[in-house]
Each structure stands twice: as C-alpha cells, then as structure tokens.
Amino acid sequence: DSLGAELRRTLSEPVIGLPQDEPYFTIRQINPRKLNDILKAAKNMLFVTTLDQRSLQSTVMRKFMTDESLERIKKEPNLFRYSNKDAFARGQEVLHLFGQTQNQLITNIVENRSSIKNFFMEAEKKRISEEIFRKEEKNITKIIERDHQFSMKIPYGFDIAKQNKNFVWIRFLDPEYEKSVFVHYTDFTSKKPFDQPVEYRESITSVNMRDSQKPDLYMTTQKINHQIKEVNFNGMYAKETRGLWMFSDISGGGAFVSYIFVDESQKRIYYLEGYVYAPGKDKRQFMREMEVVLSTFKSGEALKAK
C-alpha cells in the first residue's frame, strides 16, 4: 500500500556511495498479532498505526500505545511520532508513527523523511561505537596526538600503515577485506579544496597512497556518482564527499567517505577519509564503522578540552 511504500522509500533507499545497491535499512513487515519473543528482540522497531483503521491488526497495534498517547493523537493532529528505549529488549530503539488518518500519516512521513531515517541512523552509530571501542588501540591514539596534534579513537586490531609529517594512515587488514582511515593536513592558505574536493582528494592520494612495491600504482577516484554536500562535522563547517575509489590500474576499488574542514585555532585544513576494500562483501556496515571512527576526531581547542 501507499503507506508501506513511503516507509520503504524513507528507510530502504540505497546507501549513497556504495558500489552495489545496499539499503540503509532492511525492513521486515510483521503482523502485530505474530510479534513473538524472538521478533521483540530486534534492535530497531517501528510501529505504525492510524486511528481510522478498524481491522484486527489495527486494534492489536493500538494496544502497544498508552491511553494517554491515544488521547493526545486525537487532540493534536500535528503529533505523529514518539520514541522509547528498551521497550522489549535491552539496547532497543522503538519509534511509533501514528495519525488520525492514513493520508495524514503519509504526509507527515514525507515531510519528515530525513528525521525518521536519522533516528535509526543515530541509534546504529551509537551501537557501533559501543561495539568497536569496547577495546581500543590507545597507544596509536597517543602516537597520533604526539606526532600530529590531533586525536582519534582507534578500534582494536588497527595498525599505523604509514605516516609522515602531515599524513597518517591507519588500517585494519584482514585476508578478505581492509578497513582504513587516513588524515592529511596542511596550512590553510586557500579555499580551493572546498570548491574541488574530488580534485583535492586526488592530490593527496596520488602522493600518499602509492604502492611501495609498485610506485606506478596508487589510489585514485572513480569519476562517477559522487555526492558532495555541506555538513556540520563536530561543530565545524565541512564538505562531505561520498563516492567510489579505485586503484590506478583498475584492479580493485571500493567506497569512501571524506570530510574537508578548517581548524581555525591551528590554522590547518584537514582532509579525513574512511574507506573499505571488501570484494564480494556488503560494504554498508564497514562504512558505518569508518564514519564512527572519523567522528571521534578532535584537534586544536577541542583536543585541549578533552
């Protein structure tokens, strides 16, 4: 139906910047009458109901809501969502979407698409952070702070793959995949990198991401499907780029996300990137992990206040 289609459009659209289509979230529609203990253990749950429906399913759905909530829905047509934690299981996020009529609810979903998706995105990032930082490479964090005057939390199993006076590359290497972040910085003298982030990336990777055994081989950027937008990165104006990278001999590639921003207190322009190389594997989860690592970045005044 149209309500289900809008929910799928909101939560199951393909993740931007991946080589193959992978949805932001995999949705499983469950008849509320069949909500058993196994299904109640799901990390993310979405309950959708409208007051104008009279089916048995709708009656069951309304039992998941308090009398107070139902009264508020009747009195406040603009109210269409509320959330609660740990409703049936620990670490669970539950979002209720509701309306007096189906058309009213669809309108609210369309108008609030990004905030609905972000609710679950933030929940996922929080879970990933708790998981990957359960054990950290604190020694690497100390080396980065000492040698480069910025900081990042590094999950267990990562190593420093390369570093020089204004560049550091940290990598998790597995026989079947690679997860990496790297940081480049230089004195802030021009706004050009913000206008041409893909070209700026190329200037960094063509120098710093060359194969030591085969100097002609380096990381470059596929010239298709970039999404570049302005974002707030840890309180700073930044340009975010999502896209695909490849080896210069086209022997492999993968997904990346990057941020360009200026730390005014250090008068530095930073380029941060997280990328994955995972042939034949889903990249969505790996990329979320790299985003979480990048989000721990601190420099300048934020580092002093840590």
Side-chain angles (χ1 to χ4, degrees), residues 190-255:
S190 167
K191 293 181 180 177
K192 193 175 177 184
F194 289 94
D195 300 326
Q196 299 177 316
V198 176
E199 290 80 357
Y200 190 57
R201 176 186 195 272
E202 194 78 3
S203 72
I204 293 166
T205 59
S206 62
V207 173
N208 295 285
M209 301 296 282
R210 285 188 178 269
D211 190 310
S212 57
Q213 309 297 319
K214 304 174 188 171
D216 290 340
L217 185 63
Y218 66 94
M219 175 188 268
T220 183
T221 314
Q222 294 189 38
K223 302 296 188 282
I224 55 167
N225 295 340
H226 299 125
Q227 187 209 60
I228 301 169
K229 65 178 183 179
E230 298 176 341
V231 297
N232 179 326
F233 181 80
N234 293 357
M236 293 173 283
Y237 168 84
K239 273 286 180 77
E240 176 193 88
T241 303
R242 293 178 184 272
L244 302 174
W245 65 271
M246 64 181 181
F247 295 120
S248 54
D249 66 354
I250 325 178
S251 62

Coordinates of all heavy atoms in Angstrom, one line a residue, residues 190-255:
S190 N 44.1 28.5 1.2 CA 43.2 28.6 0.1 C 41.9 27.9 0.4 O 41.9 26.8 1.0 CB 43.9 28.1 -1.2 OG 42.9 27.9 -2.2
K191 N 40.8 28.4 -0.2 CA 39.5 27.8 -0.1 C 39.3 26.8 -1.2 O 38.2 26.2 -1.3 CB 38.4 28.8 0.0 CG 38.4 29.7 1.3 CD 37.3 30.7 1.3 CE 37.3 31.5 2.6 NZ 36.2 32.5 2.5
K192 N 40.2 26.7 -2.1 CA 40.0 25.9 -3.3 C 39.6 24.4 -3.0 O 38.8 23.9 -3.7 CB 41.3 25.9 -4.2 CG 41.1 25.4 -5.6 CD 42.4 25.6 -6.4 CE 42.2 25.0 -7.8 NZ 43.5 25.1 -8.6
P193 N 40.2 23.8 -2.0 CA 39.8 22.4 -1.7 C 38.3 22.3 -1.5 O 37.8 21.2 -1.8 CB 40.6 22.1 -0.4 CG 41.8 22.9 -0.5 CD 41.4 24.2 -1.1
F194 N 37.7 23.3 -0.9 CA 36.2 23.2 -0.7 C 35.4 23.3 -2.0 O 34.3 22.7 -2.1 CB 35.8 24.4 0.2 CG 36.2 24.2 1.7 CD1 37.4 24.8 2.1 CD2 35.5 23.5 2.6 CE1 37.8 24.6 3.4 CE2 35.9 23.3 3.9 CZ 37.1 23.9 4.3
D195 N 36.0 24.0 -3.0 CA 35.3 24.1 -4.3 C 35.6 22.8 -5.1 O 34.7 22.5 -6.0 CB 35.9 25.3 -5.0 CG 35.6 26.6 -4.3 OD1 34.5 26.7 -3.6 OD2 36.4 27.5 -4.3
Q196 N 36.7 22.2 -4.9 CA 37.1 21.0 -5.7 C 37.5 19.8 -4.9 O 38.7 19.4 -4.9 CB 38.2 21.4 -6.7 CG 37.8 22.5 -7.7 CD 38.9 22.8 -8.6 OE1 40.1 23.0 -8.2 NE2 38.6 23.0 -9.9
P197 N 36.6 19.3 -4.0 CA 37.0 18.3 -3.1 C 37.6 17.0 -3.7 O 38.5 16.3 -3.2 CB 35.8 18.0 -2.3 CG 34.6 18.6 -3.0 CD 35.2 19.7 -3.8
V198 N 37.0 16.6 -4.9 CA 37.5 15.4 -5.6 C 38.9 15.6 -6.1 O 39.8 14.7 -5.9 CB 36.5 14.9 -6.7 CG1 37.1 13.7 -7.4 CG2 35.2 14.6 -6.1
E199 N 39.2 16.7 -6.7 CA 40.5 17.0 -7.2 C 41.5 17.1 -6.0 O 42.6 16.7 -6.1 CB 40.5 18.4 -8.0 CG 39.8 18.3 -9.3 CD 38.3 18.4 -9.2 OE1 37.8 18.4 -8.1 OE2 37.6 18.4 -10.3
Y200 N 41.0 17.7 -4.9 CA 41.9 17.8 -3.7 C 42.2 16.4 -3.2 O 43.4 16.1 -2.8 CB 41.2 18.6 -2.6 CG 42.1 19.0 -1.4 CD1 43.3 19.7 -1.6 CD2 41.7 18.6 -0.1 CE1 44.1 20.0 -0.6 CE2 42.5 18.9 0.9 CZ 43.7 19.6 0.7 OH 44.5 20.0 1.8
R201 N 41.2 15.5 -3.2 CA 41.5 14.1 -2.8 C 42.6 13.5 -3.6 O 43.5 12.9 -3.2 CB 40.2 13.3 -2.9 CG 40.4 11.8 -2.5 CD 39.1 11.0 -2.8 NE 39.3 9.7 -2.2 CZ 39.9 8.6 -2.7 NH1 40.3 8.7 -4.0 NH2 40.0 7.5 -2.1
E202 N 42.4 13.7 -4.9 CA 43.4 13.2 -5.9 C 44.8 13.6 -5.6 O 45.8 12.9 -5.7 CB 43.0 13.6 -7.3 CG 43.7 12.8 -8.4 CD 43.1 11.4 -8.6 OE1 42.1 11.0 -8.0 OE2 43.6 10.7 -9.5
S203 N 45.0 14.9 -5.3 CA 46.3 15.5 -5.0 C 46.9 14.8 -3.8 O 48.1 14.7 -3.6 CB 46.2 17.0 -4.8 OG 45.6 17.3 -3.5
I204 N 46.1 14.4 -2.8 CA 46.6 13.7 -1.6 C 46.9 12.2 -1.8 O 47.9 11.7 -1.5 CB 45.5 13.9 -0.5 CG1 45.4 15.3 0.0 CG2 45.9 13.0 0.7 CD1 44.2 15.6 0.8
T205 N 45.9 11.5 -2.5 CA 46.1 10.1 -2.6 C 47.2 9.8 -3.7 O 47.9 8.8 -3.5 CB 44.8 9.4 -3.1 OG1 44.3 9.9 -4.3 CG2 43.7 9.5 -2.0
S206 N 47.3 10.6 -4.7 CA 48.4 10.3 -5.7 C 49.8 10.4 -5.1 O 50.7 9.8 -5.7 CB 48.2 11.3 -6.9 OG 48.4 12.6 -6.5
V207 N 49.9 11.1 -4.1 CA 51.2 11.3 -3.4 C 51.4 10.3 -2.3 O 52.4 9.6 -2.2 CB 51.4 12.7 -2.9 CG1 52.7 12.8 -2.0 CG2 51.4 13.7 -4.0
N208 N 50.4 10.2 -1.4 CA 50.5 9.4 -0.2 C 50.0 8.0 -0.2 O 50.4 7.2 0.6 CB 49.7 10.1 1.0 CG 50.3 11.5 1.3 OD1 51.4 11.5 1.9 ND2 49.7 12.5 0.8
M209 N 49.2 7.6 -1.2 CA 48.6 6.3 -1.3 C 49.1 5.5 -2.5 O 48.4 5.0 -3.3 CB 47.1 6.4 -1.3 CG 46.4 7.1 -0.1 SD 46.7 6.3 1.5 CE 45.5 4.9 1.4
R210 N 50.4 5.5 -2.6 CA 51.1 4.7 -3.7 C 51.6 3.4 -3.1 O 52.0 3.4 -1.9 CB 52.2 5.5 -4.3 CG 51.8 6.6 -5.2 CD 52.9 7.3 -6.0 NE 52.4 8.3 -6.9 CZ 52.0 8.1 -8.1 NH1 52.2 6.9 -8.6 NH2 51.5 9.0 -8.9
D211 N 51.6 2.4 -3.9 CA 52.2 1.1 -3.5 C 53.7 1.2 -3.4 O 54.3 1.5 -4.4 CB 51.7 0.0 -4.5 CG 52.0 -1.4 -4.1 OD1 53.1 -1.6 -3.6 OD2 51.1 -2.2 -4.2
S212 N 54.2 0.8 -2.3 CA 55.7 0.9 -2.1 C 56.4 0.0 -3.0 O 57.6 0.2 -3.4 CB 56.1 0.7 -0.6 OG 55.6 -0.6 -0.2
Q213 N 55.8 -1.2 -3.3 CA 56.4 -2.2 -4.2 C 56.3 -1.8 -5.7 O 57.1 -2.1 -6.5 CB 55.8 -3.6 -4.0 CG 55.7 -4.0 -2.6 CD 57.1 -4.2 -1.9 OE1 58.0 -4.7 -2.6 NE2 57.3 -3.7 -0.7
K214 N 55.1 -1.1 -6.0 CA 54.9 -0.7 -7.4 C 54.5 0.8 -7.4 O 53.3 1.1 -7.3 CB 53.7 -1.5 -8.0 CG 53.9 -3.0 -7.9 CD 52.6 -3.7 -8.4 CE 52.6 -5.2 -8.2 NZ 51.3 -5.8 -8.4
P215 N 55.5 1.6 -7.5 CA 55.3 3.1 -7.4 C 54.3 3.7 -8.4 O 53.7 4.7 -8.2 CB 56.7 3.7 -7.6 CG 57.6 2.6 -7.4 CD 56.9 1.3 -7.7
D216 N 54.1 3.0 -9.5 CA 53.1 3.5 -10.5 C 51.7 3.2 -10.1 O 50.7 3.8 -10.7 CB 53.3 2.8 -11.9 CG 54.6 3.2 -12.5 OD1 55.1 4.3 -12.1 OD2 55.1 2.5 -13.4
L217 N 51.5 2.4 -9.1 CA 50.1 2.0 -8.6 C 49.7 2.9 -7.4 O 50.4 2.9 -6.4 CB 50.1 0.5 -8.2 CG 48.7 -0.1 -7.9 CD1 47.8 0.0 -9.0 CD2 48.9 -1.5 -7.3
Y218 N 48.6 3.6 -7.5 CA 48.1 4.4 -6.4 C 46.6 4.5 -6.4 O 45.9 4.0 -7.3 CB 48.7 5.8 -6.6 CG 48.2 6.6 -7.8 CD1 47.1 7.5 -7.7 CD2 48.8 6.4 -9.0 CE1 46.7 8.1 -8.8 CE2 48.4 7.1 -10.2 CZ 47.3 8.0 -10.1 OH 46.8 8.7 -11.2
M219 N 46.1 5.0 -5.3 CA 44.6 5.1 -5.2 C 44.2 6.4 -5.9 O 44.7 7.5 -5.7 CB 44.3 5.2 -3.7 CG 42.8 5.5 -3.4 SD 42.5 5.8 -1.7 CE 42.1 4.2 -1.1
T220 N 43.1 6.2 -6.7 CA 42.5 7.3 -7.4 C 41.0 7.3 -7.1 O 40.5 6.6 -6.3 CB 42.9 7.3 -8.9 OG1 42.4 8.5 -9.5 CG2 42.4 6.0 -9.6
T221 N 40.3 8.2 -7.9 CA 38.9 8.3 -7.6 C 38.1 8.0 -8.9 O 38.4 8.5 -10.0 CB 38.5 9.8 -7.2 OG1 39.5 10.2 -6.2 CG2 37.1 9.9 -6.6
Q222 N 37.0 7.2 -8.7 CA 36.2 6.9 -9.9 C 35.4 8.2 -10.1 O 34.9 8.9 -9.2 CB 35.2 5.8 -9.6 CG 36.0 4.4 -9.5 CD 35.0 3.3 -9.4 OE1 34.0 3.2 -10.1 NE2 35.3 2.3 -8.6
K223 N 35.2 8.6 -11.4 CA 34.7 9.9 -11.7 C 33.1 9.8 -11.9 O 32.5 10.6 -12.6 CB 35.3 10.3 -13.1 CG 36.8 10.4 -13.1 CD 37.3 11.5 -12.1 CE 38.8 11.8 -12.2 NZ 39.6 10.7 -11.5
I224 N 32.5 8.9 -11.1 CA 31.0 8.8 -11.2 C 30.4 8.8 -9.8 O 31.0 8.5 -8.8 CB 30.6 7.5 -11.9 CG1 31.3 6.3 -11.2 CG2 31.0 7.5 -13.4 CD1 30.7 5.0 -11.6
N225 N 29.1 9.3 -9.8 CA 28.3 9.1 -8.6 C 28.8 9.7 -7.3 O 28.6 9.1 -6.3 CB 28.0 7.6 -8.4 CG 27.2 7.0 -9.5 OD1 26.5 7.7 -10.3 ND2 27.2 5.7 -9.6
H226 N 29.5 10.8 -7.4 CA 29.9 11.5 -6.2 C 28.7 12.2 -5.6 O 27.9 12.8 -6.3 CB 31.0 12.5 -6.4 CG 32.3 11.9 -6.9 ND1 32.9 12.3 -8.1 CD2 33.0 10.9 -6.5 CE1 33.9 11.6 -8.3 NE2 34.0 10.7 -7.4
Q227 N 28.6 12.2 -4.3 CA 27.7 13.1 -3.6 C 28.5 14.1 -2.7 O 29.2 13.6 -1.8 CB 26.6 12.4 -2.8 CG 25.6 13.3 -2.2 CD 25.0 12.9 -0.9 OE1 25.7 12.8 0.1 NE2 23.7 12.7 -0.9
I228 N 28.5 15.3 -3.0 CA 29.2 16.3 -2.3 C 28.2 17.3 -1.6 O 27.3 17.8 -2.3 CB 30.2 17.1 -3.2 CG1 31.2 16.2 -3.9 CG2 30.9 18.2 -2.4 CD1 32.0 16.8 -5.0
K229 N 28.3 17.5 -0.3 CA 27.4 18.4 0.4 C 28.0 19.1 1.5 O 29.1 18.6 2.1 CB 26.1 17.6 0.8 CG 26.3 16.6 1.8 CD 25.0 15.9 2.2 CE 25.1 14.9 3.3 NZ 23.8 14.3 3.7
E230 N 27.5 20.2 2.0 CA 27.9 20.9 3.2 C 27.4 20.2 4.4 O 26.2 19.9 4.4 CB 27.5 22.3 3.1 CG 28.1 23.1 1.9 CD 27.5 24.5 1.8 OE1 26.5 24.8 2.5 OE2 28.1 25.3 1.1
V231 N 28.2 20.0 5.4 CA 27.7 19.4 6.6 C 28.4 20.1 7.8 O 29.4 20.8 7.7 CB 28.1 17.9 6.7 CG1 27.4 17.1 5.6 CG2 29.6 17.6 6.6
N232 N 27.9 19.8 9.0 CA 28.5 20.2 10.3 C 29.3 19.0 10.8 O 28.7 18.0 11.1 CB 27.4 20.6 11.3 CG 28.0 21.0 12.6 OD1 29.0 20.5 13.1 ND2 27.3 21.9 13.3
F233 N 30.6 19.1 10.8 CA 31.4 18.0 11.3 C 32.0 18.4 12.6 O 32.9 19.3 12.7 CB 32.5 17.7 10.2 CG 33.4 16.5 10.7 CD1 33.0 15.2 10.5 CD2 34.7 16.8 11.3 CE1 33.8 14.2 10.9 CE2 35.5 15.7 11.7 CZ 35.0 14.4 11.5
N234 N 31.5 17.8 13.7 CA 32.0 18.1 15.0 C 32.0 19.6 15.3 O 33.0 20.1 15.9 CB 33.4 17.5 15.2 CG 33.3 15.9 15.2 OD1 32.3 15.4 15.1 ND2 34.5 15.3 15.4
G235 N 31.0 20.3 14.9 CA 30.9 21.7 15.2 C 31.6 22.6 14.1 O 31.6 23.8 14.3
M236 N 32.2 22.0 13.1 CA 32.9 22.8 12.1 C 32.2 22.7 10.7 O 31.7 21.6 10.4 CB 34.4 22.4 12.0 CG 35.2 22.7 13.2 SD 36.9 21.9 13.2 CE 36.5 20.2 13.5
Y237 N 32.2 23.8 10.0 CA 31.8 23.7 8.6 C 32.6 22.7 7.8 O 33.9 22.8 7.9 CB 31.8 25.1 7.9 CG 31.6 25.0 6.4 CD1 30.3 25.0 5.9 CD2 32.6 25.0 5.6 CE1 30.1 24.9 4.5 CE2 32.4 25.0 4.2 CZ 31.2 24.9 3.7 OH 31.0 24.9 2.3
A238 N 32.0 21.8 7.0 CA 32.8 20.8 6.3 C 32.2 20.5 5.0 O 30.9 20.7 4.8 CB 33.0 19.6 7.1
K239 N 33.0 20.1 4.0 CA 32.4 19.5 2.8 C 32.6 18.0 2.9 O 33.7 17.4 3.1 CB 33.2 20.0 1.6 CG 32.8 21.3 1.0 CD 31.5 21.1 0.2 CE 31.0 22.4 -0.4 NZ 31.7 22.8 -1.6
E240 N 31.5 17.3 2.8 CA 31.5 15.8 2.8 C 31.4 15.3 1.4 O 30.6 15.8 0.6 CB 30.3 15.3 3.6 CG 30.1 13.8 3.7 CD 28.8 13.4 4.2 OE1 27.8 13.3 3.4 OE2 28.7 13.1 5.4
T241 N 32.2 14.3 1.1 CA 32.1 13.6 -0.2 C 31.9 12.1 0.0 O 32.6 11.5 0.8 CB 33.4 13.9 -1.0 OG1 33.6 15.3 -1.2 CG2 33.3 13.2 -2.4
R242 N 31.0 11.6 -0.7 CA 30.8 10.1 -0.7 C 30.9 9.6 -2.1 O 30.3 10.2 -3.1 CB 29.4 9.7 -0.2 CG 29.2 10.0 1.3 CD 27.8 9.7 1.8 NE 27.7 10.1 3.2 CZ 28.0 9.4 4.2 NH1 28.4 8.1 4.0 NH2 27.9 9.8 5.5
G243 N 31.7 8.6 -2.3 CA 31.9 8.1 -3.7 C 32.7 6.8 -3.7 O 32.7 6.1 -2.7
L244 N 33.2 6.6 -4.9 CA 34.0 5.3 -5.1 C 35.4 5.6 -5.5 O 35.7 6.5 -6.2 CB 33.3 4.5 -6.2 CG 31.8 4.2 -6.0 CD1 31.3 3.5 -7.3 CD2 31.7 3.2 -4.9
W245 N 36.3 4.8 -4.9 CA 37.7 4.9 -5.2 C 38.1 3.7 -6.0 O 37.4 2.7 -6.1 CB 38.6 5.0 -4.0 CG 38.6 3.8 -3.1 CD1 37.7 3.5 -2.1 CD2 39.4 2.7 -3.2 NE1 37.9 2.3 -1.5 CE2 39.0 1.7 -2.2 CE3 40.5 2.3 -4.0 CZ2 39.6 0.5 -2.0 CZ3 41.1 1.1 -3.8 CH2 40.7 0.2 -2.8
M246 N 39.3 3.8 -6.7 CA 39.8 2.6 -7.4 C 41.3 2.7 -7.4 O 41.9 3.7 -7.2 CB 39.2 2.5 -8.8 CG 39.6 3.6 -9.7 SD 38.9 3.4 -11.3 CE 39.5 4.9 -12.2
F247 N 42.0 1.5 -7.7 CA 43.4 1.5 -8.0 C 43.6 2.1 -9.4 O 42.8 1.9 -10.2 CB 44.0 0.1 -7.8 CG 43.9 -0.4 -6.4 CD1 43.2 -1.6 -6.2 CD2 44.5 0.2 -5.4 CE1 43.1 -2.1 -4.9 CE2 44.5 -0.3 -4.1 CZ 43.8 -1.5 -3.9
S248 N 44.8 2.7 -9.6 CA 45.0 3.4 -10.9 C 45.1 2.4 -12.0 O 44.9 2.7 -13.2 CB 46.3 4.2 -10.8 OG 47.4 3.4 -10.4
D249 N 45.3 1.1 -11.7 CA 45.3 0.1 -12.8 C 44.0 -0.6 -12.9 O 43.8 -1.6 -13.6 CB 46.4 -1.0 -12.6 CG 46.2 -1.8 -11.3 OD1 45.3 -1.5 -10.6 OD2 47.0 -2.8 -11.1
I250 N 43.0 -0.1 -12.2 CA 41.6 -0.6 -12.2 C 41.5 -2.1 -11.7 O 40.6 -2.8 -12.1 CB 40.9 -0.5 -13.6 CG1 41.4 0.8 -14.3 CG2 39.4 -0.4 -13.5 CD1 40.9 0.9 -15.7
S251 N 42.4 -2.5 -10.9 CA 42.4 -3.9 -10.4 C 41.5 -4.0 -9.2 O 41.2 -5.2 -8.7 CB 43.8 -4.3 -10.0 OG 44.3 -3.5 -8.9
G252 N 41.0 -3.0 -8.6 CA 40.1 -3.1 -7.5 C 39.6 -1.7 -7.0 O 40.1 -0.7 -7.6
G253 N 38.7 -1.7 -6.1 CA 38.2 -0.4 -5.6 C 37.2 -0.6 -4.5 O 37.1 -1.7 -4.0
G254 N 36.5 0.5 -4.2 CA 35.5 0.4 -3.1 C 34.9 1.7 -2.8 O 34.9 2.6 -3.6
A255 N 34.3 1.8 -1.6 CA 33.6 3.0 -1.2 C 34.4 3.9 -0.3 O 35.3 3.4 0.5 CB 32.3 2.6 -0.5

